[in-house]
Amino acid sequence: MIVSDQHKFAFVHIPKCAGTSVRKALRPIDETIGKFDQIAHHPEMGMIHYGHIMLADLAAHFPDYYAKVCSFRSVAIVRDPQDRFFSAVFQRLREFKGYKQSQITPSVVDEEARALVVHLEATTDRLDLQYVHFNRQSDYVWNDDVRIIERVFALDR
C-alpha cells in the first residue's frame, strides 16, 4: 500500500495484480516510509505481509490509514481470477514450498492447485501468510458491503 497525505492519494496493493511494480513507481510519494512493504509479526494478526492487508484488517488494526484510504483518491488493480490464481500457485510453490522454477511441472501445479482449492474452501477466517496471495480481490476494494476504493483498473487494460 502507498499512502500520500500531500497528494491525498492511496494505492491498495492486491496480491498478484502488478502491485509490486506500481508500488515501486509510487515509492517516491509514499509517506508511510515503507510501513506496508514488509513481512513481519503483527501483535494481533501474527506473521503478515503488510503490503497485502485487506480493508477489514486495515480498518481494525490501522484505523488512521483506513480513514485516509476512505477519504483520499484511491486506486487498485484487479486481475482475471484464473490468471491470478495460477500466478499465486507458482509464487506459493517458489516462496513457501521451496521449488525452483525448473522443478515446477504441470503435475506439480495441478496437485498444488487441487490442495489449495480444498484448503481455501474450508477456510472462513483471514488466510495465513502463506496463503495471502489467494485472498479475494473484492476484500481489497470493498469493506462491509461498501465500496471503498474509488478507482479499480483491470490489469490487462
Side-chain angles (χ1 to χ4, degrees):
M1 182 169 57
I2 299 287
V3 177
S4 172
D5 293 324
Q6 178 184 356
H7 298 282
K8 304 281 189 240
F9 175 81
F11 169 71
V12 174
H13 181 173
I14 300 173
K16 306 311 299 172
C17 294
T20 300
S21 299
V22 173
R23 275 195 357 251
K24 186 176 181 180
L26 293 174
R27 188 162 288 133
I29 69 165
D30 183 15
E31 296 175 31
T32 71
I33 313 165
K35 179 181 186 99
F36 296 100
D37 195 20
Q38 63 179 325
I39 294 174
H41 185 268
H42 182 274
E44 296 171 32
M45 293 187 284
M47 285 299 291
I48 63 167
H49 194 307
Y50 279 76
H52 299 318
I53 295 177
M54 296 179 296
L55 292 177
D57 289 331
L58 192 67
H61 301 286
F62 303 92
D64 294 343
Y65 285 105
Y66 181 73
K68 290 177 183 187
V69 169
C70 290
S71 64
F72 290 178
R73 287 177 300 140
S74 55
V75 173
I77 298 172
V78 295
R79 184 176 187 179
D80 173 82
Q82 187 174 12
D83 291 344
R84 180 176 177 258
F85 178 81
F86 283 104
S87 177
V89 170
F90 278 92
Q91 180 159 350
R92 176 175 163 71
L93 287 168
R94 288 187 312 268
E95 186 176 348
F96 295 105
K97 295 245 173 157
Y99 280 81
K100 294 181 176 126
Q101 189 69 31
S102 61
Q103 297 173 308
I104 301 175
T105 63
S107 62
V108 168
V109 171
D110 185 60
E111 183 180 329
E112 185 65 19
R114 290 176 190 279
L116 280 163
V117 168
V118 170
H119 177 80
L120 295 172
E121 287 177 339
T123 304
T124 56
D125 296 331
R126 178 188 331 101
L127 297 173
D128 293 337
L129 174 63
Q130 63 179 309
Y131 297 97
V132 70
H133 299 101
F134 298 94
N135 281 319
R136 297 180 317 175
Q137 295 181 80
S138 59
D139 290 335
Y140 295 88
V141 176
W142 296 76
N143 188 28
D144 290 331
D145 296 324
V146 175
R147 181 171 166 174
I148 303 301
I149 303 305
E150 180 182 10
R151 304 262 190 231
V152 179
F153 299 96
L155 176 61
D156 62 353
R157 300 192 85 209

